[in-house]
Amino acid sequence: MENMNTKNLIYDISTGYIKSYSLKVILELEIPSKLKTGPKTIKQLCEECKGYSEHGLYVLLRTFSTMGIFKEDEEIDRLFSNTEISETLINDSNKYPWVNDSYLQVTLLPYFNQIEESLKCGKSMATFNNGYNDGFDFIHKENNVKKYFHNTMTEYTRNQINSILEIVDFDKFKTIVDLGGCQGELIKKILDKYPLNSSMIEKGVNYDLKQAIEKNEKNYKDNRYFEKMGNFFTDETVPIGDCYLVKYIFHMFSDNQVLQILEKIFKSIKFSNQNEVCIYIFDHIIYKNKTSIPISIEFHTINILNGGKERTFNEWNNLIKSSNFKIDKISNLPNTLCSFIKLSLK
């Protein structure tokens, strides 16, 4: 007899695109935002969403209501309201920060019609075929993608900051450099935890591309906080520090590119005549037959980010062996799907 759980699982996978594209329509029409002030009928929503039939919009909202996204009134016909779940999709990143990730994922949907080609040739054909040099060129030139991407990365950081602060004692370092720190959230929280008058930390540097930093708010008051615009690959060195943070960066690059970045760190250290340094890599480690990362992330590295990949324990180990550093510790980051790898000089 056919196992119904197996059948339902396969059915859910094979029809997943329907949910994804339907969610894309919901977000593009901003239905959750339109219901923010209270329940509305399908007719009212259609008047606000030009070009959609009442029947089509009703099928869309009715389907999502069976999943707990929206609620259809049991007495008044075709009247819908938000639920706790659909409220998180209101286009207000201050109140509902994870909405950026939802918008990012559905914005990338059309590019997945080229996933088969990307898998065959090992290159991100979704970006190449659409006229971009690589995933970063794509993110930079597509304004919506750029906004959602940077806001999502900041929210991932916020979600993991407490775990990072719990496992790492930053008080023994003088200069902490966050490579690819985006909006500087992690460095700011470290400086907040270790105030000027009671810690060794003299400087916290947020280093990232110009397009990632130039629109950052300038209202953080700690004078130890600095922002440095730069590029891993074109700059001769990276900012000098005795502690480097590399969070969700290396999985976006090939092994050769990762080694280039580690070499830039090594040059910076040697230039400052330092004998000791710590590098904390916060990234994914793939464990066989286990759910160690969200499925979307691994496919984005293949389809969108040219050369990027998720790595197994052995792949991380072999990669670091090819650099001027050695692994001191590998562990899971508490309460997350992220791991951290601590490096020091060989």
Side-chain angles (χ1 to χ4, degrees):
M1 184 176 179
E2 191 172 14
N3 186 311
M4 286 303 296
N5 289 333
T6 300
K7 180 180 178 181
N8 290 338
L9 172 63
I10 299 301
Y11 180 80
D12 196 47
I13 293 172
S14 61
T15 59
Y17 71 97
I18 298 175
K19 297 175 185 176
S20 300
Y21 273 97
S22 298
L23 181 62
K24 184 175 185 291
V25 175
I26 289 290
L27 293 178
E28 288 176 346
L29 293 176
E30 296 193 341
I31 299 294
S33 299
K34 289 177 168 60
L35 294 176
K36 183 168 62 173
T37 56
K40 291 183 179 180
T41 63
I42 288 295
K43 184 176 181 179
Q44 289 172 313
L45 289 171
C46 268
E47 289 172 355
E48 298 180 44
C49 305
K50 305 298 183 184
Y52 282 81
S53 71
E54 288 189 26
H55 177 67
L57 206 56
Y58 177 59
V59 169
L60 184 66
L61 268 69
R62 182 182 65 193
T63 301
F64 275 100
S65 71
T66 64
M67 295 181 275
I69 305 173
F70 307 123
K71 178 178 173 56
E72 184 175 7
D73 192 275
E74 294 185 5
E75 295 182 0
I76 302 176
D77 193 33
R78 297 191 170 200
L79 180 70
F80 287 87
S81 58
N82 273 329
T83 62
E84 247 181 76
I85 297 175
S86 62
E87 279 184 349
T88 66
L89 299 174
I90 292 174
N91 197 1
D92 180 352
S93 58
N94 291 322
K95 191 173 182 181
Y96 306 104
W98 279 111
V99 72
N100 288 289
D101 192 30
S102 301
Y103 273 90
L104 175 63
Q105 301 305 331
V106 299
T107 303
L108 295 176
L109 265 177
Y111 296 91
F112 269 82
N113 62 7
Q114 292 163 79
I115 184 65
E116 186 175 355
E117 191 176 354
S118 295
L119 292 170
K120 285 180 178 178
C121 65
K123 293 182 179 180
S124 53
M125 301 311 296
T127 46
F128 288 137
N129 288 347
N130 285 278
Y132 302 103
N133 296 325
D134 53 35
F136 296 99
D137 186 40
F138 166 63
I139 291 168
H140 175 56
K141 291 178 178 175
E142 291 290 333
N143 287 332
N144 278 341
V145 174
K146 178 167 67 174
K147 178 181 73 173
Y148 297 140
F149 175 80
H150 290 309
N151 288 343
T152 297
M153 293 303 100
T154 295
E155 197 51 37
Y156 271 113
T157 297
R158 286 177 182 153
N159 196 47
Q160 296 169 355
I161 280 175
N162 289 338
S163 296
I164 293 172
L165 293 177
E166 178 184 323
I167 62 169
V168 180
D169 177 15
F170 290 104
D171 200 26
K172 56 190 175 182
F173 304 112
K174 288 186 176 181
T175 301
I176 302 170
V177 180
D178 190 357
L179 298 178
C182 200
Q183 296 175 0
E185 198 73 18
L186 180 53
I187 286 288
K188 291 173 184 177
K189 291 299 182 183
I190 292 171
L191 295 178
D192 287 344
K193 181 176 179 179
Y194 300 96
L196 176 61
N197 296 328
S198 58
S199 80
M200 285 184 58
I201 302 174
E202 298 175 357
K203 185 186 291 187
V205 182
N206 177 31
Y207 174 83
D208 211 327
L209 296 169
K210 178 183 177 182
Q211 57 265 32
I213 284 182
E214 60 186 353
K215 293 186 178 180
N216 284 356
E217 294 181 0
K218 310 299 181 185
N219 55 3
Y220 187 65
K221 301 301 183 184
D222 195 316
N223 291 330
R224 296 173 296 167
Y225 177 75
F226 296 87
E227 291 190 333
K228 172 71 174 175
M229 298 181 189
N231 186 302
F232 300 132
F233 303 110
T234 58
D235 292 355
E236 187 65 28
T237 59
V238 295
I240 295 170
D242 54 350
C243 175
Y244 289 88
L245 309 177
V246 192
K247 188 176 64 60
Y248 289 138
I249 298 295
F250 286 164
H251 77 146
M252 296 190 288
F253 297 109
S254 67
D255 287 353
N256 286 337
Q257 289 172 311
V258 170
L259 291 173
Q260 286 179 48
I261 297 171
L262 289 173
E263 181 62 22
K264 293 288 177 72
I265 297 174
F266 182 71
K267 282 184 179 179
S268 299
I269 295 165
K270 289 302 179 185
F271 182 76
S272 62
N273 296 315
Q274 290 179 186
N275 294 318
E276 292 187 18
V277 67
C278 276
I279 301 175
Y280 290 97
I281 300 170
F282 300 97
D283 219 311
H284 300 117
I285 297 177
I286 301 295
Y287 297 100
K288 294 179 180 179
N289 302 316
K290 292 183 180 179
T291 303
S292 46
I293 60 168
I295 187 173
S296 62
I297 292 177
E298 185 150 30
F299 278 88
H300 286 331
T301 58
I302 294 172
N303 196 47
I304 304 294
L305 298 167
N306 186 41
K309 66 176 183 178
E310 308 301 333
R311 295 173 173 88
T312 64
F313 177 88
N314 287 337
E315 286 173 326
W316 277 111
N317 200 33
N318 292 333
L319 177 60
I320 302 304
K321 280 182 179 178
S322 300
S323 73
N324 292 297
F325 301 94
K326 60 183 176 67
I327 295 176
D328 291 334
K329 184 178 181 180
I330 294 182
S331 180
N332 292 327
L333 195 62
N335 306 313
T336 74
L337 288 175
C338 181
S339 298
F340 82 93
I341 305 169
K342 180 183 176 184
L343 309 184
S344 63
L345 287 168
K346 286 180 177 175

